[in-house]
Amino acid sequence: MTVLVIGGSGYLGAELVRRAAAAGHDTAATFATRPGTAPAAAWHHLDVRDPAQLTALLGEVAPAAVINASSGQADWAVTAEGAVRVAQAAVRQGCRLVHVSSDAVFSGARVRYDESCPPDPVTPYGAAKAAAETGVRLVAPDAVVARTSLIMGDGRSAHERLVHELTTGRRGGALFTDEVRCPVHVADLAGALLELALSGERGVWHLAGADALSRYEAGVLMARRDGFDPGLLPSGRRADSPLPGALDVRLDSGAARSRLRSPLRGAREFLAGGTGAEDVAGAPDGS
């Protein structure tokens, strides 16, 4: 079968491309500025704001499943409207759709969130992701909307690079002690997304790690694992800063853990070991 990864040159997208190809699927992927490096994928330039490009691409690739892992951050035309255009194109082509969303759709007012909780975003990015969810579910009711949290785990994520730069003094700033999330390993998340893409599941799913950690606590674990001195990590409180955003948002992924074969490990487990994004209980290959 053919899997199309929208946003395949991004951090999560690259892992999705790698795992889909390794499982034996014909794999296509899109990029906005430059193609990824995975030689096993067919790379296509795509502007998700252009419905004609989307229609032409899905007609050419004819995927059985589309995973939209793209992100335009707070750019409404990309993150909100683009996601709906991807969903519309997938429905016209008659293929499965998995849309990747974020815990940014929540304010943190209730701390723990399961799949039944309605979005209540407090940032422009969160509002765009919440609008995308609504639009995707409206035009593609059989799609999966998968919310996730901080993606890390193999040493190459933006969060891990930040920790390395803070401990070596190459960058200023601080890690917040009062901003809590449920970090997920990029390999675990990609495996769960592929499993959902190849299944008959639908609706909202939470795919986050088992542990709730502050950004500072996660940074300490990263620094220790990667041979840096955690005592050099500067800390602060988001509540004392002018930066907007939710404080404590914990995605309850219990339903996914009970129903999926793909693991969703906690950060205390995966940040205690090596940096390799090993294949752990990989997604089914559809055979």
Side-chain angles (χ1 to χ4, degrees):
M1 67 176 292
T2 299
V3 176
L4 172 62
V5 179
I6 307 291
S9 59
Y11 181 57
L12 172 59
E15 181 65 13
L16 283 164
V17 168
R18 185 189 75 81
R19 292 177 71 90
H25 303 298
D26 292 331
T27 306
T30 75
F31 64 94
T33 55
R34 63 180 65 87
T37 58
W43 290 94
H44 303 266
H45 177 265
L46 176 67
D47 183 343
V48 295
R49 299 170 298 181
D50 187 336
Q53 277 194 42
L54 278 162
T55 298
L57 174 64
L58 267 67
E60 176 186 351
V61 174
V66 175
I67 304 176
N68 184 5
S70 65
S71 175
Q73 297 302 314
D75 185 332
W76 190 271
V78 175
T79 300
E81 296 172 0
V84 176
R85 291 195 173 100
V86 170
Q88 290 171 326
V91 169
R92 286 194 297 268
Q93 186 66 28
C95 49
R96 286 273 299 160
L97 173 65
V98 174
H99 170 78
V100 181
S101 190
S102 166
D103 58 11
V105 301
F106 296 124
S107 70
R110 61 184 300 162
V111 179
R112 183 171 291 278
Y113 292 86
D114 64 20
E115 290 85 349
S116 68
C117 297
D120 60 340
V122 293
T123 64
Y125 171 63
K129 294 298 281 187
E133 287 189 9
T134 300
V136 167
R137 296 185 70 192
L138 178 64
V139 304
D142 290 331
V144 167
V145 172
R147 297 178 183 135
T148 192
S149 192
L150 299 180
I151 307 171
M152 56 182 68
D154 65 353
R156 296 175 294 173
S157 72
H159 312 291
E160 286 155 298
R161 292 198 306 270
L162 173 61
V163 168
H164 299 167
E165 292 171 359
L166 287 173
T167 55
T168 57
R170 298 197 306 271
R171 181 168 175 175
L175 296 178
F176 294 130
T177 59
D178 60 345
E179 184 178 349
V180 176
R181 297 293 186 272
C182 295
V184 63
H185 196 293
V186 64
D188 293 357
L189 177 58
L193 291 169
L194 280 167
E195 183 175 344
L196 287 168
L198 304 177
S199 74
E201 299 289 354
R202 65 198 294 268
V204 178
W205 289 68
H206 283 182
L207 305 178
D211 298 330
L213 299 173
S214 72
R215 285 186 181 261
Y216 178 76
E217 289 173 315
V220 167
L221 292 176
M222 291 176 200
R224 286 175 179 160
R225 181 199 64 184
D226 298 339
F228 295 95
D229 182 358
L232 298 177
L233 275 176
S235 64
R237 284 169 26 98
R238 178 181 276 276
D240 298 330
S241 80
L243 297 174
L247 294 180
D248 196 337
V249 177
R250 310 183 188 199
L251 293 186
D252 182 346
S253 302
R257 285 191 189 87
S258 67
R259 295 169 63 184
L260 298 180
R261 288 189 289 166
S262 302
L264 292 168
R265 294 168 291 169
R268 290 187 179 90
E269 177 182 350
F270 67 72
L271 289 178
T275 58
E278 66 277 9
D279 288 329
V280 285
D285 60 11
S287 59

